[in-house]
Amino acid sequence: SQKIEQNSEALNIQEGKTATLTCNYTNYSPAYLQWYRQDPGRGPVFLLLIRENEKEKRKERLKVTFDTTLKQSLFHITASQPADSATYLCALAGGGSNYKLTFGKGTLLTVNP
Amino acid sequence: NAGVTQTPKFRILKIGQSMTLQCTQDMNHNYMYWYRQDPGMGLKLIYYSVGAGITDKGEVPNGYNVSRSTTEDFPLRLELAAPSQTSVYFCASSSRTSGGYNEQFFGPGTRLTVL
């Protein structure tokens, strides 16, 4: 069956360092992959989308990579700040219904000052 | 633009009661979705719609029903509430452009407790 795994439930890093979050998937051929941020008590907010034919996407301090051979996406936040503390969700679209997303469980990132 | 709005924000139901969670979007999106999120878990798709008059089941549809009579509104109905339906419910919408399918916009959520 299709499976998405975000390898770390929680990640603690020091302010100024680069945070790297991992999303692995099996039994999928996703057309694209998205990353969302979710703050406590709020709905997810879209951050980045990367398509299957793209290797890397950047937006300000954020970078996402997509390796369809390894079946893995890496999400990086450079020069991290305490305000980046949140849960980050990986979501995949594919399997014939590209408008539907399947979400991972998320990684709780805490950036310590 | 208000984006995606959901009402109510919080609700406590007794076992066996029914209720409707409201969702409205003002972005003219064709695609709308209902998810539930349990603690420590990812979002699970309950129902979705690709346009007015068209709905379909997601991963966890049992105990729920939906309708989509307009582009803007996508209410979720809970019949005969059970404790297993205690969760946070999120509505979302998205569109499609020439570049493909786009990101989903989420509402603020409804926190439902069934006692």
Side-chain angles (χ1 to χ4, degrees), chain B residues 99-115:
Chain B
Y101 295 99
N102 297 322
E103 71 271 25
Q104 294 188 10
F105 292 81
F106 284 80
T110 294
R111 186 174 297 274
L112 176 68
T113 302
V114 182
L115 299 173

Side-chain angles (χ1 to χ4, degrees), chain B residues 2-110:
Chain B
V4 179
T5 57
Q6 291 182 239
T7 56
K9 285 190 169 56
F10 304 93
R11 184 74 186 266
I12 298 175
L13 280 182
K14 293 183 180 175
I15 294 172
Q17 286 185 321
S18 301
M19 76 164 293
T20 299
L21 281 65
Q22 301 292 345
C23 174
T24 300
Q25 53 94 6
D26 63 359
M27 297 172 281
N28 202 34
H29 287 171
N30 280 336
Y31 302 91
M32 294 188 76
Y33 315 84
W34 273 106
Y35 296 91
R36 61 176 287 171
Q37 187 175 39
D38 299 314
M41 303 296 288
L43 295 154
K44 300 287 185 187
L45 183 65
I46 305 171
Y47 270 95
Y48 64 96
S49 169
V50 301
I54 307 169
T55 62
D56 206 347
K57 296 177 181 178
E59 187 182 354
V60 290
N62 290 345
Y64 307 96
N65 267 304
V66 293
S67 60
R68 182 107 182 263
S69 56
T70 66
T71 298
E72 294 79 20
D73 299 307
F74 190 40
L76 177 72
R77 178 87 179 154
L78 277 72
E79 304 282 2
L80 298 174
S84 61
Q85 293 178 304
T86 294
S87 190
V88 181
Y89 292 84
F90 290 103
C91 178
S93 71
S94 68
S95 64
R96 184 179 182 186
T97 57
S98 58
Y101 295 99
N102 297 322
E103 71 271 25
Q104 294 188 10
F105 292 81
F106 284 80
T110 294

Side-chain angles (χ1 to χ4, degrees), chain A residues 13-32:
Chain A
I13 64 167
Q14 211 59 31
E15 183 175 6
K17 301 290 186 188
T18 296
T20 299
L21 285 64
T22 305
C23 177
N24 293 296
Y25 59 92
T26 55
N27 298 325
Y28 251 114
S29 293
Y32 59 91

